[in-house]
Amino acid sequence: MNIFRILGDVSHLLAMIILLVKIWRSKSCAGISGKSQILFALVFTTRYLDLFTIFISVYNTVMKVIFLVCAYITVYMIYMKFHKTFDREHDSFRLEFLLVPVTGLSFLENHSFTPLEILWTFSIYLESVAILPQLFMISKTGEAETITTHYLFFLGLYRALYLANWIWRYHTENFYDQIAVVSGVVQTIFYCDFFYLYVTKVLKGKKLSLP
Amino acid sequence: QETTEGHDEL
């Protein structure tokens, strides 16, 4: 466990909490893509099946359970509790465009051809693209609430910190996981454009709106 | 080396 990994996990957790607090306080999930949140719930579900098969550490188990619970509460808030505020019209990304290639790729390129390993691989590939419906929604409406941009910032920061973690682990432990690293790089690239807007607009007190 | 025995990252 290194500092990048801990900070990465903390910003991941922080992102999910920010989103939940935003929805809970405003009693609205306007501007949030329900599809992205369903994908994240699917990511955690397929990745953390090893909760039943292998024990890694108390930290690992507790964080996995928290992530799963947060993801499902978020989906519940969007589709059940505050469904009237959900902007279904603009959340129009076609999920099959992500799910079909990701499923195919996880069968083709994995560490071993076993059900758990294929599901883990599926979750890694899916996570790298799961934010696309949310980014698509923002590009469609042309704006995002400031708190939503904080959520996205911490979600992107988490993946960027994991990249630092992998570089660290490669040098100190000679550990690397090619599937995770390649997907992590792809995932981080998706956030670059957003990071630029976040720094140039949101941090200067302006609302994120696209021209 | 690549690991295939469990994934310790979240």
Side-chain angles (χ1 to χ4, degrees):
Chain A
M1 187 71 82
N2 58 66
I3 185 76
F4 304 112
R5 170 73 205 283
I6 281 279
L7 287 177
D9 289 346
V10 168
S11 52
H12 196 183
L13 185 60
L14 198 59
M16 289 192 278
I17 292 172
I18 288 172
L19 184 61
L20 278 173
V21 167
K22 173 215 139 56
I23 296 174
W24 187 252
R25 283 231 187 121
S26 64
K27 305 243 176 291
S28 158
C29 44
I32 301 298
S33 164
K35 287 183 176 171
S36 274
Q37 296 308 317
I38 286 181
L39 292 184
F40 282 126
L42 190 59
V43 162
F44 293 138
T45 309
T46 49
R47 187 176 308 168
Y48 297 161
L49 288 170
D50 63 358
L51 276 172
F52 299 105
T53 60
I54 188 171
F55 177 78
I56 292 163
S57 66
V58 173
Y59 172 81
N60 193 278
T61 303
V62 170
M63 289 297 269
K64 282 175 176 172
V65 172
I66 294 175
F67 283 6
L68 275 167
V69 170
C70 283
Y72 278 97
I73 293 178
T74 308
V75 170
Y76 164 75
M77 297 266 216
I78 296 172
Y79 286 98
M80 311 278 278
K81 194 160 176 68
F82 301 121
H83 70 97
K84 281 181 187 145
T85 62
F86 172 44
D87 190 0
R88 215 171 280 266
E89 289 273 287
H90 287 118
D91 194 14
S92 53
F93 195 94
R94 300 273 297 274
L95 287 189
E96 58 271 33
F97 290 159
L98 299 180
L99 288 170
V100 171
V102 161
T103 307
L105 201 58
S106 56
F107 276 92
L108 286 173
E109 196 60 49
N110 48 50
H111 290 309
S112 65
F113 203 78
T114 57
L116 267 189
E117 204 49 43
I118 290 170
L119 285 168
W120 178 86
T121 312
F122 169 83
S123 86
I124 293 287
Y125 293 148
L126 184 61
E127 186 187 353
S128 68
V129 294
I131 201 61
L132 291 181
Q134 179 67 61
L135 296 176
F136 177 72
M137 193 172 179
I138 292 175
S139 71
K140 226 177 159 194
T141 60
E143 58 175 28
E145 283 177 58
T146 300
I147 190 155
T148 309
T149 65
H150 295 329
Y151 161 71
L152 282 169
F153 173 76
F154 282 105
L155 208 55
L157 182 64
Y158 137 68
R159 239 4 181 180
L161 284 163
Y162 256 66
L163 294 186
N165 158 57
W166 289 323
I167 293 168
W168 180 269
R169 289 189 74 173
Y170 181 73
H171 286 290
T172 56
E173 301 168 36
N174 206 21
F175 164 91
Y176 88 104
D177 183 327
Q178 199 174 345
I179 287 176
V181 172
V182 172
S183 312
V185 169
V186 170
Q187 189 175 347
T188 311
I189 290 170
F190 285 135
Y191 287 89
C192 287
D193 186 35
F194 167 79
F195 280 148
Y196 174 76
L197 290 171
Y198 187 80
V199 171
T200 55
K201 288 201 168 180
V202 181
L203 291 184
K204 289 181 180 154
K206 282 183 261 177
K207 198 176 159 114
L208 189 131
S209 55
L210 303 173
Chain B
Q1 93 233 11
E2 282 197 47
T3 177
T4 52
E5 291 162 54
H7 302 283
D8 64 338
E9 292 177 343
L10 301 166

